[in-house]
Amino acid sequence: EQVSSPGRGAEQVSSPDRAVYKIMVRNTIFFEAAQKGRLDVLEFLLQTGAPANEASSIGGWTALMMATEKNHVDCVRAVLSR
C-alpha cells in the first residue's frame, strides 16, 4: 500500500509498518483532540482503543495533562473514565 508523507511523496509501506503508521496517526489525533477540547473526537478514539494514559512524543505529556492545561473539563472527565 502507498501512503503519502508531507514533503516526501508516496512510498511503499509494508503491513507491519502500515499498522505502526496508523497507530501513530491515531495517537497524534488523540493528543490533538485533548489539547483542542474536541470531546467528540476524543471519545471516539477512546472507544476505538486510543491509549488514555500513554505519553506523547511531544514532551512526554499525556492526553490528560494536555486537556487539564487547557481547562477542557469534559475531556479530562472522558480520559479519567477510562
Side-chain angles (χ1 to χ4, degrees):
E1 177 176 335
Q2 286 191 342
V3 295
S4 293
S5 300
R8 292 178 37 188
E11 56 188 65
Q12 288 294 109
V13 178
S14 67
S15 291
D17 289 340
R18 190 176 83 211
V20 170
Y21 178 79
K22 285 182 178 181
I23 290 169
M24 288 172 54
V25 168
R26 181 197 64 195
N27 291 353
T28 300
I29 295 168
F30 179 69
F31 294 124
E32 186 78 13
Q35 187 176 37
K36 303 252 185 217
R38 290 295 309 272
L39 181 62
D40 56 335
V41 175
L42 195 69
E43 286 180 334
F44 172 77
L45 292 171
L46 285 167
Q47 291 171 1
T48 60
N53 295 314
E54 186 174 298
S56 79
S57 60
I58 305 167
W61 283 48
T62 64
L64 178 62
M65 294 165 71
M66 291 177 182
T68 300
E69 183 203 19
K70 298 294 184 177
N71 201 31
H72 298 305
V73 177
D74 290 340
C75 292
V76 169
R77 287 186 181 129
V79 173
L80 287 174
S81 72
R82 302 286 184 235

